[in-house]
Amino acid sequence: MTDRKDLPPAAIRALAEAEERRRNAAPVDLPVELGGRDGPEPVRYGDYEKKGICVDF
């Protein structure tokens, strides 16, 4: 973890505000995906592969 003493005051304030927003955020209630892909989320890695064909987006 970064030593916060090395950060400027604005960065420390931004980190504190982000942590507060995360604590106050309502949990996301996503529906279960039926027939979705197995493995890691393809959007996270920037491409989607199906039957050996890779598609970038």
Side-chain angles (χ1 to χ4, degrees), residues 4-54:
R4 293 192 173 186
K5 292 178 183 176
D6 294 341
L7 296 175
I12 295 171
R13 189 173 57 250
L15 288 170
E17 290 172 3
E19 181 61 34
E20 182 69 24
R21 281 193 302 273
R22 280 194 287 281
R23 275 197 302 266
N24 293 334
V28 179
D29 187 25
L30 297 175
V32 177
E33 182 176 358
L34 302 175
R37 301 287 295 153
D38 293 335
E41 176 64 32
V43 176
R44 179 176 179 191
Y45 299 101
D47 61 1
Y48 190 88
E49 180 271 330
K50 181 150 179 145
K51 296 184 181 178
I53 299 172
C54 183

